[in-house]
Amino acid sequence: MNTELLERVRERLAGEGREAALAHGLLAVQLPRDALLDTVRVLKESFGFDLFLDVTAVDWPEREARFDVVFHFYSTRDHVRVRLKTAVTEVDPEVDSLVPLYGSAAFMERECHDMYGIRFRGNADLRPILLYEGFEGHPLRKDYPKDREQPLVRYRE
Amino acid sequence: MRDTEETLPNPVRPAFETPSTEDGVIVNIGPSHPATHGTLQIIAELSGEKVVRADVHCGYLHRGFEKECEAHTWHTLIPYVDRLNYCSALINDFAYCDAVETLMGVEITPRTRYLRTLLSEYSRIADHMTCIAASVMELGAMTAFLYLMTIRDWIYEHLADLTGARVTYSYGRIGGLAHDLPDGWLKRLEEILDEYEEYIGRIHGLMDRNRIFIDRTRDVGVISTKDAIHWGFTGPILRSTGAPRDLRRDTPYLAYGELDFEVPVGINGDNYDRYYVRMREMDESVYMIRQLIEMLPEGPINVDDRRCTLPEKERVYTEIESLINHFKLVIDGPQVPAGEVYRAHEAANGELGFFLVSDGTGRPHKVHARAPSFVHMGGLHKLLEGYQFADIISTFGTVNMIGGECDR
Amino acid sequence: MNPGHEKTGAFEYLTTRKDELVGWARKFSIFPYPFVTACCAMEFMSVSSTMYDTDRFGAALPRFSPRQSDLMMVVGTITHKQAPILKKVYEQMCEPKWVMAFGVCATSGGFYQNYAALQGIDRIIPVDVYIPGCPPRPESVIDGIMQLQDKIANARHPIVNEKF
C-alpha cells in the first residue's frame, strides 16, 4: 500500500472541519456535508482517484444526525482507497450528488435512496432501482421491520 | 393489499414512454426473457434495428441481503454471502471472512491462506466457464455449451466432495475454513486440470476463428478504458479495454503476492475481447493452482483464537471452559470489535468489496456488499446504445450479470 | 394388423382406458418454460446438459414462450417485484399446464424471511410439484420430473369425453 501518498492526501484534506485518519488499509475522512463535492473534486483531480466504488449509508437511530453517508474511492494508478463519511439528519437527509463527476454514481445513489431515503441533490433520476414502484418506506432503516411485506399481487385463498 | 386481479401492476417506471423520433419504437426485453439469463429488464428505443436509448432496470432479485445480515451473527450470515455471486460462491466467502478478520485483527494460518487462494482460483474457473457457456449458447453454440457444462459439473462434484454442496458451499469460516481437504482431493484436482486443458482446447477450436461468433462479437459493445473507469467497470470488462487492472496484482491479498501470473488484457474492449480475456484468465488460474499445489504447506487450518474458532469437540465434552466458549460462540457469535472496514477481493466479475460496520456485538450493525454486477448494470446502456438490437444478447452475455450480487 | 405377419405372441394389441392413454402421451411430451431467476439456475443448466440430461425423460427442450409450453419451472427466488411477471407468464400459458417449484425459495421463500421475498410461489399460483434443496441436486430435479409424470399419467384429462 502506498502510505506515503495517503499521508499526502491526509495533509491536504485536514482542516475545514475534516478529520482524516488511516484505518485498516485506507484513508478514512470524516467531513461536513457541504464540503463533500469540493473534497471529491480534489481527490479526483489532484490525486487521481478515478474509480468511484460505492456509496451507502449507515443508520444510527439513537444519534441526532441519524445517517452516515459513506463513499469509497479507488485510484487505479496508485492502488489506494479513500473513504469519505458525512453525517445527515433524518429531517434533511440530503447530500450532493456525484453524478457530474462519476457516471457510476447514478445507479448507486438510486440504491442508497431506495434503502435509506437519502436524497442526492443533482441526481434527477431517483426512481426505485432495487425496490419497486409503490414500495413505502426504506427497508434498511433500523425502524423498518425485517418482515413487513408489501405484496404487489393479491394472494390466492 | 392492492386489487390486482385484472391489471397486474408494473413494478417499474420507464425513463421514457414515447419515442424521441417519429420512426422510433419502444421495445421491452425482460425480466423473463431467453436473452436475459438473469432477471434484468431493458426498455429500449429502437430506430429500425438500432438501439437509440436503453433504460436498464434491475432489482428483480432483491432478496434483502443486507437486512437479513443484520438479523444474524457474524458467522451465521455466511450462507447469505454465498448466494451473492452463486457462480463462484467461495470467492464471496473468503472476501467476507477476510473483512471480518481484518476488523478482529486475526491472522489466518499459512495453510488456510494458500487453500483460500487455490479455491478462489478454482471458483474463478467455474464462474468464467458458466459465463462463457451461457453467452455462447445464446449465440447458438450449443456444442461449446455442453463441453463447458461437462467440465463444470466435474468441478462442482469435486467441490461437493470437499464442502458437501455443489453450488453454495458455506465453506469459509472466520479465522479459517470449515474443515481440511479430504484424502485424494488434490490428486483428483490435477486430473480435472488436465481434462480442462483438453476441453478448453476444443472450445478454442470451436469459437476463436468461428465466422459467426466473430461477426456477432467483434466491434460490438465497445467501451474505452476511460469510459469504463468513469462508469465503474472493474474485472474482465475493464481488462478487456487494455487496462491491466487486477486487484490480485495491484493490492495483493491472500497468497497472490507469491504467485507468478499474467494479467491478460484485451485491445478493443468489445465482446470478443471480453470472451478472450475470460478464456485466458482461466488458463492463468490453472497455472496458479498448479503452483499452489506445490506450495501448499501442512499445518492447522483454523487460527488458535477463542474469539472466533470453536474449540475441539473432545474438549467441549470434558472441560467446562471449552463448553462455555463453544456455547457463547454459537449463541452470541464472535464478538467483533467496534469499527468499520472495507476489504475488496478480485471476484470473477470485478471488485467485490465488503463494507462492514460493527458496534462491538455479535451481530453486524451493517454489512454492505459492493457488488461488481450492480455497478456494471449502471453502465450497461453505454455498451448497448448505437448497436443492433440483436447485439444486446451477445453484450449482455459477456457482461455476465449475476442476479444475486446485482440485486442482493 | 397385417395378416401376412407371423404372430410373435407379445403386444399384438393393447387395451387401455382413454384417460390413461392421454396421460401416457402427455407425460412424455412436457415442454418446460424455465422461469429462471437465481442460484438454482446453475443447477438448471446442469440438469439440462450432458451429465444429467432431462431429454431422457421427454422434458428437455425449453420453450421460451409461455404459450408453447405446458410446464413452468420456477427456478429460484421470486421477489415481490418479480411476482406480477410470474403471474402474468402463468396466465399466458395454455391449459393443460403444470408448475414446478424448483428449490426452497420458490417453495417457501427459503431462508429469505424478509420484506423482499415472496414466501412461496403457491401464494400466487397453484403448484404441482415441489423440489426441496438450496439448490436441489440434479438427481432430485429428475425425481421431481418423474413424480410430475406420474401425476400427469394418473390424472383425469378433461379432453376425454363422449366424442373421443
Side-chain angles (χ1 to χ4, degrees):
Chain A
M1 191 183 59
N2 197 337
T3 35
E4 199 187 311
L5 175 83
L6 283 184
E7 202 56 43
R8 283 217 317 277
V9 180
R10 196 180 70 80
E11 276 169 28
R12 171 74 176 75
L13 289 186
E16 294 173 37
R18 287 180 288 227
E19 290 166 36
L22 281 167
H24 294 308
L26 49 68
L27 182 73
V29 185
Q30 176 91 40
L31 73 171
R33 68 171 172 174
D34 302 333
L36 177 72
L37 210 51
D38 290 339
T39 314
V40 176
R41 213 165 260 139
V42 169
L43 285 177
K44 187 180 180 189
E45 279 152 22
S46 313
F47 294 101
F49 285 87
D50 47 2
L51 190 63
F52 177 58
L53 291 175
D54 198 18
V55 55
T56 185
V58 187
D59 185 6
W60 302 94
E62 66 282 1
R63 263 185 12 194
E64 167 90 38
R66 184 173 162 184
F67 301 106
D68 276 338
V69 187
V70 186
F71 302 82
H72 285 94
F73 300 88
Y74 180 68
S75 156
T76 54
R77 187 188 61 198
D78 301 302
H79 319 311
V80 285
R81 292 169 211 282
V82 164
R83 175 193 305 140
L84 301 185
K85 201 163 78 172
T86 184
V88 292
T89 59
E90 189 182 351
V91 194
D92 180 26
E94 189 166 72
V95 292
D96 283 317
S97 166
L98 300 185
V99 170
L101 295 169
Y102 301 97
S104 50
F107 253 46
M108 290 186 255
E109 287 175 357
R110 276 171 77 178
E111 186 208 342
C112 191
H113 178 257
D114 262 9
M115 293 296 156
Y116 287 96
I118 309 291
R119 287 196 308 275
F120 291 88
R121 194 187 308 132
N123 187 341
D125 180 20
L126 287 175
R127 289 173 296 152
I129 180 72
L130 295 188
L131 299 176
Y132 38 89
E133 293 296 329
F135 191 95
E136 282 158 19
H138 304 285
L140 279 185
R141 288 188 175 185
K142 293 279 179 191
D143 50 12
Y144 189 95
K146 177 172 153 252
D147 49 1
R148 185 200 283 164
E149 296 178 56
Q150 305 190 18
L152 285 174
V153 180
R154 191 161 61 179
Y155 289 168
R156 296 163 63 224
E157 261 74 64
Chain B
M1 198 85 61
R2 296 165 182 82
D3 184 19
T4 57
E5 218 40 40
E6 267 68 51
T7 51
L8 291 163
N10 188 359
V12 300
R13 178 157 39 106
F16 41 83
E17 302 213 347
T18 46
S20 55
T21 53
E22 224 166 76
D23 64 339
V25 181
I26 294 193
V27 174
N28 172 58
I29 309 144
S32 181
H33 188 268
T36 61
H37 56 242
T39 51
L40 188 82
Q41 185 175 13
I42 301 166
I43 298 169
E45 182 190 335
L46 306 182
S47 166
E49 281 281 300
K50 210 174 87 181
V51 179
V52 183
R53 283 187 292 177
D55 180 23
V56 178
H57 291 270
C58 51
Y60 285 98
L61 194 57
H62 175 62
R63 309 188 270 198
F65 164 74
E66 290 172 25
K67 191 79 176 175
E68 200 69 67
C69 285
E70 288 169 14
H72 285 73
T73 67
W74 292 98
H75 241 149
T76 52
L77 66 85
I78 287 177
Y80 292 95
V81 174
D82 261 329
R83 285 156 182 80
L84 287 175
N85 183 348
Y86 34 76
C87 296
S88 52
L90 287 170
I91 300 182
N92 306 334
D93 270 13
F94 301 151
Y96 167 74
C97 291
D98 188 15
V100 182
E101 284 151 9
T102 311
L103 203 49
M104 291 178 85
V106 170
E107 194 176 338
I108 53 174
T109 63
R111 185 171 171 84
T112 301
R113 196 156 58 86
Y114 286 97
L115 261 182
R116 282 187 183 179
T117 322
L118 189 153
L119 291 167
S120 293
E121 289 312 308
Y122 203 31
S123 286
R124 192 183 313 277
I125 295 176
D127 187 296
H128 284 352
M129 273 189 173
T130 314
C131 167
I132 293 170
S135 50
V136 298
M137 178 194 57
E138 279 154 12
L139 300 178
M142 198 65 194
T143 315
F145 170 77
L146 292 175
Y147 278 149
L148 287 165
M149 280 297 119
T150 307
I151 194 104
R152 197 195 69 163
D153 260 336
W154 289 337
I155 296 179
Y156 275 6
E157 283 301 329
H158 191 219
L159 283 172
D161 287 348
L162 172 65
T163 64
R166 278 166 55 93
V167 180
T168 46
Y169 311 106
S170 309
Y171 182 62
R173 294 287 184 276
I174 297 163
L177 298 168
H179 45 76
D180 209 337
L181 299 179
D183 288 342
W185 197 84
L186 288 176
K187 189 164 163 288
R188 174 75 183 134
L189 175 62
E190 284 173 38
E191 283 170 24
I192 289 179
L193 294 186
D194 291 340
E195 292 280 354
Y196 157 87
E197 285 182 337
E198 195 198 320
Y199 271 73
I200 219 72
R202 296 184 197 169
I203 306 297
H204 278 297
L206 281 167
M207 306 307 301
D208 285 5
R209 289 162 60 77
N210 182 327
R211 193 70 247 168
I212 302 171
F213 183 65
I214 292 173
D215 285 348
R216 292 294 301 273
T217 53
R218 213 6 131 204
D219 295 323
V220 171
V222 182
I223 192 161
S224 68
T225 306
K226 192 162 164 284
D227 279 354
I229 290 175
H230 183 69
W231 288 99
F233 288 104
T234 46
I237 306 184
L238 180 57
R239 289 195 282 278
S240 76
T241 67
R245 294 279 73 86
D246 190 325
L247 293 181
R248 293 173 290 172
R249 167 66 52 81
D250 297 340
T251 56
Y253 54 93
L254 294 176
Y256 288 112
E258 299 153 46
L259 296 175
D260 173 37
F261 64 99
E262 275 181 27
V263 177
V265 293
I267 301 163
N268 289 333
D270 57 16
N271 284 337
Y272 189 87
D273 281 0
R274 288 195 275 277
Y275 154 78
Y276 215 88
V277 163
R278 284 205 166 86
M279 291 292 272
R280 281 283 295 111
E281 268 184 32
M282 289 197 286
D283 295 343
E284 291 302 319
S285 294
V286 171
Y287 180 49
M288 277 188 251
I289 291 173
R290 292 213 164 111
Q291 293 173 54
L292 285 158
I293 293 174
E294 296 296 313
M295 293 159 101
L296 195 63
E298 291 297 320
I301 53 160
N302 285 323
V303 289
D304 190 19
D305 190 330
R306 290 291 150 252
R307 288 181 302 158
C308 56
T309 310
L310 291 173
E312 293 109 54
K313 255 307 184 260
E314 201 186 297
R315 292 176 58 194
V316 175
Y317 289 139
T318 50
E319 295 169 13
I320 186 70
E321 292 83 5
S322 297
L323 181 70
I324 294 170
N325 184 217
H326 188 281
F327 189 77
K328 291 295 274 181
L329 273 179
V330 172
I331 302 293
D332 295 340
Q335 305 294 305
V336 175
E340 296 173 347
V341 71
Y342 179 89
R343 285 290 290 171
H345 280 197
E346 181 75 31
N349 278 335
E351 169 159 342
L352 173 72
F354 279 96
F355 173 60
L356 310 178
V357 180
S358 171
D359 50 7
T361 62
R363 285 170 199 275
H365 188 76
K366 177 171 176 66
V367 174
H368 177 76
R370 188 267 180 205
S373 281
F374 180 67
V375 186
H376 294 170
M377 288 308 107
L380 182 67
H381 61 283
K382 294 305 279 183
L383 301 176
L384 302 178
E385 286 167 1
Y387 297 97
Q388 302 260 312
F389 182 71
D391 294 337
I392 291 179
I393 293 166
S394 76
T395 304
F396 186 70
T398 55
V399 166
N400 196 22
M401 176 266 198
I402 303 292
E405 66 171 8
C406 178
D407 302 339
R408 281 156 285 157
Chain C
M1 204 62 43
N2 187 347
H5 267 235
E6 254 183 64
K7 282 199 168 192
T8 55
F11 300 119
E12 280 293 313
Y13 56 88
L14 286 166
T15 55
T16 180
R17 294 192 300 122
K18 287 175 195 164
D19 247 351
E20 272 175 33
L21 178 67
V22 176
W24 175 84
R26 274 186 175 167
K27 80 173 193 180
F28 290 120
S29 66
I30 298 174
F31 289 94
Y33 174 90
F35 195 94
V36 174
T37 61
C39 332
C40 290
M42 296 298 109
E43 289 299 43
F44 179 77
M45 285 160 96
S46 289
V47 167
S48 51
S49 60
T50 337
M51 297 279 251
Y52 295 96
D53 191 9
T54 41
D55 217 346
R56 296 177 293 152
F57 303 92
L61 190 70
R63 305 303 291 237
F64 284 104
S65 164
R67 298 191 197 282
Q68 298 163 349
S69 52
D70 45 20
L71 167 64
M72 177 146 91
M73 290 172 121
V74 183
V75 183
T77 322
I78 300 299
T79 59
H80 285 302
K81 190 172 181 179
Q82 184 85 296
I85 288 97
L86 177 73
K87 175 113 188 186
K88 191 170 199 169
V89 171
Y90 177 75
E91 283 170 356
Q92 285 172 344
M93 288 169 67
C94 301
E95 292 282 353
K97 55 188 173 185
W98 297 279
V99 177
M100 174 188 277
F102 187 122
V104 284
C105 287
T107 303
S108 68
F111 70 175
Y112 292 100
Q113 302 290 325
N114 58 35
Y115 64 93
L118 179 67
Q119 305 299 312
I121 56 166
D122 49 8
R123 293 202 173 184
I124 56 169
I125 56 173
V127 179
D128 293 281
V129 58
Y130 299 88
I131 304 177
C134 186
R137 278 190 64 91
E139 290 89 339
S140 19
V141 181
I142 291 170
D143 185 48
I145 291 174
M146 289 164 73
Q147 295 215 13
L148 180 70
Q149 286 176 330
D150 285 349
K151 184 172 175 173
I152 295 171
N154 294 326
R156 285 271 297 127
H157 294 277
I159 61 160
V160 183
N161 53 29
E162 62 276 5
K163 287 184 198 151
F164 175 61

